[in-house]
Amino acid sequence: MVLVLALGDLHVPHRAADLPAKFKSMLVPGKIQHIICTGNLCIKEVHDYLKSLCPDLHITRGEYDEDARYPETKTLTIGLFKLGLCHGHQVVPWGDLDSLAMLQRQLDVDILVTGHTHQFKAYKHEGGVVINPGSATGAYSSITYDVNPSFVLMDIDGLRVVVYVYELIDGEVKVDKIDFKKTATMHA
Amino acid sequence: MAEEERRRRFSNLRSVRWRVDLGILPAPPEASVEEHRRAAADSRRRYVSLKRRLLVDPHVPKEEGRSSNFVVDNPLSQNPDSSWGRFFRGAELEKNVDQDLSRLYPEDGSYFQTPACQAMLRRILLMWCLQHPEYGYRQGMHELLAPLVYVLQVDIDKLSQVRKLHEDCFNDDFDGVPFPDTDMVFSYKPRKEPNWNLGDDNENNSERSSKTNTLDELDSDTKEIILLSDAYGAEGELGIVLSERFMEHDAYSMFDGLMDGGSGVVRMAEFFSPSSVGSSSNLPPVIEASSALYHLLSIVEPTLHNHFIELKVEPQWFALRWLRVLFGREFCLNDLLVIWDKVFACSNNMLLSSDEEYNFRILCSARGAFIAAMAVSMLLHIRSSLLATEIDASCLQKLLNFPTNIDVQKLIEKANALQSIAIDVNTSSSSFLLKRDSCEYDRVHSNHATSTPPRTPLHPVSESYWEEKWRDVHKDGTTPKESEKGNSFSKQLKKSLTQRLGLSRTESDPSPLKVLSVKNNARNSVRRCLLNTLSDDLGRSNEVAGKIQQDEFPIVSVHREPPMSSAEPSKSKAVGENVTVSPLCVAKLNPLKNSVVEPAHENATQRTKCIAEACSSGENSPVFYAASSGNEPENAQDIDSESSSVTSNSCAGDPVIDGILKDDSSDSNDDSKTIQDSEAASSDTSPDQDGIAERAVVSNERKPFISKLQWLLKLGRPSVEGNMEKSSGETSDDKQGVDTSCSSLSDGNSNNSRGTVKMASGDKKVMGTLKNLGQNMLENIQVIESAFQQDRGQPGPVENFSNNILGGKGQITAMAALTELRKISNLLSEM
């Protein structure tokens, strides 16, 4: 029963001032065990805020991040799942599933979390799951202005991961739920 | 009687008996096995439904369509209704519970530390706390639950033993009738052949199987066990009363019964709640129950109670643990089971009708009264060591480390005796007492660390008795003895005392608290004046009587010095503790006049007791009290203390003492004349007391009595200046006066015994009180001895004389004094 928060592309303070209030009210410390952040925070204050939510924080470098020490990619194991993290601007074409699958195979992970497109996506394909948590602040992207703030909460429980998607649509938080089960043959 | 039968019925099976007591299984002794089984089955079903409702797993998908609103039901939801919210709350509770469970009985063979047991305990506690969110989980609940599980386990073990012994009775034949051997298959059906038993059992098998073929051959207890666990009885397997499978369910029911009190009075859950719901006063129930404990103690053993108050030991410091865990931390597990047998055997029903007033809620049921009585009997058990403590920390230490090698049966017997007292105490007091106590308890509650201790309740008997005595005394008027006295001082004393007594009669009703409080400050000055005049008068006469206890007092007073000087001036408790050693401390306490010593009234009580014990003279002590009680109102806050001390003094059993005290407490006039009168009066009352018996002796005694006064007042005077050291210096200087007073005290002792002759003729009550007096003396002697034992280990630096506590000579003389005290007590008991 591990709760993992996945978010990214906040672009604070350049493109957005802060997380939406409704999101902030939901994110209370103590409930979440891990936070994985795709990148583009961009400043240290956001880093500290996320750290306050949960001490176990993993970040990869986005192109606008002011801290140059974040890695390009990261992998971690939570429960029985292997997670991979990358910002996504390195994978061209941006947001292309096959390219991302290539990255996933490269990193050898079950769940790949990337961002950069500021659009929520969740794919399940051949061996794994690719999740794009979108932009938590709703900051505009190079591709589009029409961005809904969104983030993802994964509940990893044994061989099953439940993905809750939180989107702020028209000022209301909408939650959706996706189930993924890891099969034994996912990765030999 | 019904209870006896019940006991006999399940005397071997504690868990069944406790379930009956806690209301889970049917109570009436004629309840059949079926009824028990049905009740057991019901309780188990309740538990299971509760479990299904409360222990929710958010992962389990709900069958009724997955249209659940994810906005509500997501892990981050702030919505309290969401299943995730409940999950997180449960997780929080579980964390707390685990903290306690890991420390549960780690020493006891670790039955409780096995993972299975821990898991079961955790679930039960979680369930109960989820079911009762207003209490949450508090530390201690696990200790209440553990013995319940233990007895269940013990009974199940017993069952398996019985099962092994009486294999044949646990047959699986459906109707008890074996199927006819018409079928080859059935004929080979094993009839519970114990072939698979251990090898050494085999030779016994044939014996056993021949012995116990039918159920009826067994003794009733075993028969009952078997019937209760028959898998085919009422309710089938769910109804097996002693069932391992349903141990968790049963434990939960027992725990719930204990905590909720089964619609009775004592609900353990209340002891865990900080709010004042469910208590008669506006105090948390556990505080109120602790006060009930003190209340009972003050009636049963005022010495100890006063000692506690003097040391400012609040009852809930130790009683909290005792009550919340029902003494689980004070006794080993087996002893605890015996105690709990008794506790549960007492019914929990409300004894009072709904409109009757009561003082303490806990005492409204037999069970609660027994709990309180048990606590008091525990206190009495370590009484002497407690009385020997000097500071609250050491007292508390002794209380919290209750000795382990005790005879539990004795404690229980004592508690039985006290139980009825407890129940009476609850309702016996008049309304004023209730009001008074509630005022006091409010104050206790608000001034946590300080001041006002629970008041000793008045002995209603004593008041009227003393008034009677006073009337008797003054009816005699001036006796011929008075002419013999020829001492204006004593005349004056008597007069002033008469006046005081007169005043006291109007004030003896303790209900007008305000009046007392108004008089408080007046009293201070009165007493000071009294002391001054007394000292003046005493200074006139210088008697040197015997030298019997000459050395005792200097030693004793010296003995007290280090504690006094070391402690703050307000720690007259040190003095109070040693007060029983000698009446010197009375004078000693005078120095503490100016200090805000709130247990002063306790000191007075102690003083009066010690005086009563040491000199046990009706005539001598009044003056002492007149002098010493002047110090009581030093603590202007203690309004009630005065009257309570006055009346509690009366419990010591000396008529004039009490009269004088009441006199003092109510005094509001500073009149040197009245003082002198009272002095005269007291000295006059002494001859009255001696009365007919021996006049010559009295005249002799009067002299030392006066010298005693003188000495007292000399000590008192420096105290008026508020200088303890000086007074201690004076003490050592006044050894001479001490000698005289000592001798006078000793004389007073004999005097009192003679005086008792007169008293005995008058009133039977006096006899009883005197007997109590003697007993008190004996006990005080024990305290002295223990105190001396203690102090022997505390060698003080021999810098000044005052620190030379117990030189060898001092010890000898102290022991001599103690033997004297013993003689006195023997005399008294003869009376």
Side-chain angles (χ1 to χ4, degrees), chain A residues 1 3 25-27 31-32 151 153 155 157 160 164 166 173 175 177 179, chain B residues 57-59 61 66 70-78 84-85 87-88:
Chain A
M1 247 294 308
L3 290 178
S25 67
M26 287 204 296
L27 294 172
K31 283 190 182 173
I32 300 165
F151 67 90
L153 183 74
D155 176 14
D157 194 19
R160 185 164 154 256
Y164 294 89
Y166 295 80
V173 178
V175 187
K177 186 171 153 186
D179 258 309
Chain B
D57 183 7
H59 296 286
R66 307 282 264 108
F70 291 125
V71 177
V72 173
D73 237 0
N74 62 77
L76 294 178
S77 165
Q78 309 288 311
W84 280 95
F87 171 81
F88 280 118

Side-chain angles (χ1 to χ4, degrees), chain B residues 185-240:
Chain B
V185 176
F186 281 123
S187 64
Y188 285 119
K189 185 169 87 156
R191 274 187 54 95
K192 294 256 190 214
E193 283 303 320
N195 287 329
W196 45 270
N197 272 354
L198 305 169
D200 50 345
D201 278 344
N202 281 336
E203 59 268 24
N204 297 330
N205 283 349
S206 51
E207 294 175 18
R208 265 190 279 138
S209 45
S210 60
K211 258 193 288 185
T212 61
N213 275 329
T214 62
L215 209 57
D216 296 323
E217 287 174 0
L218 298 168
D219 59 312
S220 63
D221 278 343
T222 329
K223 183 168 159 187
E224 201 141 55
I225 295 181
I226 292 172
L227 278 179
L228 285 175
S229 10
D230 181 13
Y232 294 100
E235 299 275 5
E237 212 173 320
L238 191 63
I240 297 177

Side-chain angles (χ1 to χ4, degrees), chain A residues 7-66:
Chain A
L7 75 168
D9 289 320
L10 288 88
H11 288 279
V12 174
H14 309 122
R15 301 186 195 177
D18 200 0
L19 284 165
K22 297 208 170 173
F23 279 0
K24 273 198 130 160
S25 67
M26 287 204 296
L27 294 172
V28 296
K31 283 190 182 173
I32 300 165
Q33 276 84 51
H34 306 273
I35 298 185
I36 52 182
C37 184
T38 55
N40 272 347
L41 289 178
C42 305
I43 48 177
K44 188 176 178 299
E45 278 77 359
V46 181
H47 174 102
D48 293 339
Y49 166 72
L50 291 177
K51 199 91 179 173
S52 76
L53 292 182
C54 162
D56 192 29
L57 177 62
H58 305 274
I59 313 183
T60 50
R61 177 118 196 263
E63 73 268 39
Y64 289 101
D65 267 316
E66 298 196 355

Side-chain angles (χ1 to χ4, degrees), chain B residues 334-345:
Chain B
N334 291 319
D335 283 344
L336 185 69
L337 294 181
V338 175
I339 293 176
W340 280 24
D341 277 344
K342 268 275 171 256
V343 171
F344 294 151

Side-chain angles (χ1 to χ4, degrees), chain A residues 68-79:
Chain A
R69 292 169 301 172
Y70 298 141
E72 294 285 322
T73 61
K74 205 163 192 187
T75 56
L76 57 152
T77 308
I78 295 175

Side-chain angles (χ1 to χ4, degrees), chain B residues 12-13 153-171 192 194 196-197 208-209 212 214-215 218-230 242:
Chain B
N12 293 340
L13 300 174
Q153 181 67 40
V154 162
D155 279 350
I156 288 170
D157 288 340
K158 207 174 287 178
L159 174 65
S160 57
Q161 278 174 11
V162 170
R163 207 184 268 270
K164 250 197 280 189
L165 282 178
H166 306 286
E167 284 292 339
D168 290 342
C169 297
F170 287 91
N171 55 38
K192 294 256 190 214
W196 45 270
N197 272 354
R208 265 190 279 138
S209 45
T212 61
T214 62
L215 209 57
L218 298 168
D219 59 312
S220 63
D221 278 343
T222 329
K223 183 168 159 187
E224 201 141 55
I225 295 181
I226 292 172
L227 278 179
L228 285 175
S229 10
D230 181 13
L242 301 171

